[in-house]
Amino acid sequence: PWNPLGSAFGVLGQAVLLGTLAMLLSLFMRPQMERVAGVFVRQPLVAGGVGLLTVLVSPFVALFMIVTIILILAVPFLALGLFLAWLFGVIAVGMEVGERFTRSVGQDWSPTRTAGFGTFLIVLISQGLGIIPCFGWLAPFLLGAAGVGAVLLAFFEARNRPLVAAPAPGPDEALPPAS
């Protein structure tokens, strides 16, 4: 039997857990989260499409790995990689939601609090919609797919970007102090 109270507490628990994890990740991986959130903001449909394609193709890739027997040990790493990409993508999107929310209400919160609140909010809403029978799974699935796509696009974008050294000071520019 369906227990709406238990489902509501489960959604609240997931939102609190992911919000807390977002706060922790924002302490250590803020630039990477901003890069993924930037890709999501610039290209949401492309990120969603890449994420959907990844989610649809990955079972066939796993089956191919199992059939070849040599790559059977890589299947758990594929599953773990997809899970971590989903998690990081949802948290990065939540960070962007938190930043937009705090700007809209005229507040200036710390980046850690902003990331935690935004992730809490987006997980609460998407998983709350997930309680609805029949089509409720669609909101969390699309959010996760867009997050996976944004992570993959940010990864390939960073890989293709050439490393550029800082320009040397010109003859008329003063050198910075040595100490």
Side-chain angles (χ1 to χ4, degrees):
W2 183 60
N3 182 1
L5 191 60
S7 297
F9 278 120
V11 166
L12 185 63
Q14 285 179 359
V16 167
L17 181 68
L18 287 180
T20 306
L21 185 60
M23 292 173 77
L24 183 65
L25 278 178
S26 72
L27 290 173
F28 299 107
M29 303 185 78
R30 182 106 181 131
Q32 292 86 352
M33 291 170 63
E34 288 174 349
R35 190 175 314 128
V36 171
V39 166
F40 179 77
V41 168
R42 283 191 315 271
Q43 303 171 343
L45 295 178
V46 174
V50 168
L52 285 174
L53 187 63
T54 302
V55 169
L56 293 176
V57 169
S58 60
F60 296 110
V61 171
L63 182 65
F64 174 75
M65 291 174 152
I66 290 171
V67 168
T68 58
I69 297 178
I70 297 169
L71 297 174
I72 198 166
L73 297 175
V75 172
F77 294 110
L78 174 71
L80 180 65
L82 275 176
F83 172 72
L84 291 176
W86 168 82
L87 187 64
F88 196 77
V90 168
I91 288 173
V93 170
M95 181 192 70
E96 182 65 29
V97 166
E99 287 178 1
R100 289 179 181 226
F101 178 81
T102 55
R103 262 187 273 137
S104 70
V105 296
Q107 295 291 319
D108 188 25
W109 292 351
S110 69
T112 304
R113 184 184 295 178
T114 303
F117 177 75
T119 303
F120 172 81
L121 192 65
I122 197 167
V123 170
L124 187 69
I125 291 171
S126 70
Q127 294 293 350
L129 290 173
I131 293 176
I132 300 171
C134 295
F135 65 91
W137 60 273
L138 198 57
F141 177 74
L142 291 177
L143 173 65
V148 169
V151 167
L152 290 175
L153 287 174
F155 174 75
F156 288 119
E157 183 180 281
R159 252 181 112 196
N160 292 333
R161 188 176 321 142
L163 296 175
V164 179
D172 57 346
E173 294 179 26
L175 291 174
S179 55

